[in-house]
Amino acid sequence: MTPESTSDVISSERVEGTNVYNKAGEKLGSIDDIMIDKRSGQVRYAVLEFGGFLGMGTDRYPLPWNMLTYDTSMDGYVVPLDKAKLEGAPRYAETQAPEYTPDYSRSVNDYYGVTW
Amino acid sequence: MTPESTSDVISSERVEGTNVYNKAGEKLGSIDDIMIDKRSGQVRYAVLEFGGFLGMGTDRYPLPWNMLTYDTSMDGYVVPLDKAKLEGAPRYAETQAPEYTPDYSRSVNDYYGVTW
């Protein structure tokens, strides 16, 4: 799950900015940020930046980390999401990030049907 | 283990730039990057930026993530390290980051006496 090869780890700076595609090969956006569980140190969400024009008005979509698979041929992550699914997904403006409370996290996980 | 309060998660962008202190309250540097296990999504290392002058010539020190404790009164992370220990620690120049192979990771972990 990474753009690198011989390392066992991937840098957060390297993940940020990586493109995200759906299984049809359509670009959905790029990773803007990574949300890490405070207690366990487990990455919970990759935050997808999507929409807007020339960087203005883009929205942020938290995607459960384990939905992402790195595809070396695409040089990006692939997620099993079509654009319609994404358009109805939990999102927020860059400047209005919510607190990731247990309720908020649950709403995101429920939308994508993931558990951990 | 985070600068935030009501969220269960912390943003990688928020961690990056956070100051790191030793238990005596001396500033050791700041977090430059985060290294994430590719397979498990577990954060393994916070990369400390330390040394140099006006941003030039700084070194990078991978610190095992579970050595860091967030201290709200310091608004930064505290690690159980003195400067002498850090001066002998595994490091690299910003532009010469190594591959984090199993051997490299083991050398870092061994230096700090941590296992996972």
Side-chain angles (χ1 to χ4, degrees), chain B residues 33-97:
Chain B
D33 203 356
I34 299 167
M35 306 303 287
I36 302 162
D37 186 282
K38 290 178 181 178
R39 290 175 194 78
S40 68
Q42 184 76 29
V43 174
R44 294 300 185 198
Y45 303 100
V47 183
L48 176 70
E49 179 178 351
F50 169 62
F53 180 68
L54 297 177
M56 299 190 306
T58 58
D59 279 329
R60 299 295 185 275
Y61 296 73
L63 301 179
W65 175 255
N66 51 17
M67 286 179 61
L68 281 69
T69 303
Y70 190 74
D71 185 319
T72 52
S73 67
M74 305 285 280
D75 193 25
Y77 292 101
V78 174
V79 292
L81 286 177
D82 58 27
K83 287 190 174 180
K85 180 76 175 176
L86 198 57
E87 280 166 6
R91 78 179 75 178
Y92 48 86
E94 179 180 13
T95 54
Q96 297 179 317

Side-chain angles (χ1 to χ4, degrees), chain B residues 8-36:
Chain B
D8 290 332
V9 295
I10 175 77
S11 151
S12 58
E13 289 183 353
R14 187 82 185 274
V15 175
E16 293 159 9
T18 299
N19 286 337
V20 178
Y21 302 90
N22 63 20
K23 293 203 166 182
E26 297 169 315
K27 181 179 169 182
L28 299 177
S30 60
I31 300 298
D32 178 61
D33 203 356
I34 299 167
M35 306 303 287
I36 302 162

Side-chain angles (χ1 to χ4, degrees), chain A residues 5-109:
Chain A
S5 51
T6 67
S7 283
D8 290 332
V9 294
I10 174 76
S11 150
S12 58
E13 289 183 353
R14 187 80 185 273
V15 174
E16 293 159 10
T18 299
N19 286 336
V20 178
Y21 302 90
N22 64 19
K23 292 203 167 184
E26 297 169 315
K27 181 179 170 181
L28 299 177
S30 60
I31 300 297
D32 178 61
D33 204 355
I34 299 168
M35 306 304 286
I36 302 162
D37 186 283
K38 289 179 182 179
R39 289 173 195 79
S40 67
Q42 183 75 30
V43 174
R44 294 299 184 198
Y45 303 100
V47 182
L48 176 70
E49 178 178 353
F50 169 62
F53 180 67
L54 298 178
M56 299 191 306
T58 58
D59 279 329
R60 300 293 185 276
Y61 296 73
L63 302 180
W65 175 255
N66 51 16
M67 287 180 60
L68 280 69
T69 303
Y70 189 75
D71 185 319
T72 52
S73 68
M74 305 287 279
D75 193 24
Y77 292 101
V78 174
V79 292
L81 286 177
D82 57 27
K83 287 190 175 179
K85 180 77 176 176
L86 199 57
E87 280 165 6
R91 77 179 76 178
Y92 49 85
E94 180 180 11
T95 54
Q96 298 179 316
E99 294 292 324
Y100 278 61
T101 61
D103 280 350
Y104 182 75
S105 295
R106 193 174 305 115
S107 72
V108 173
N109 297 351

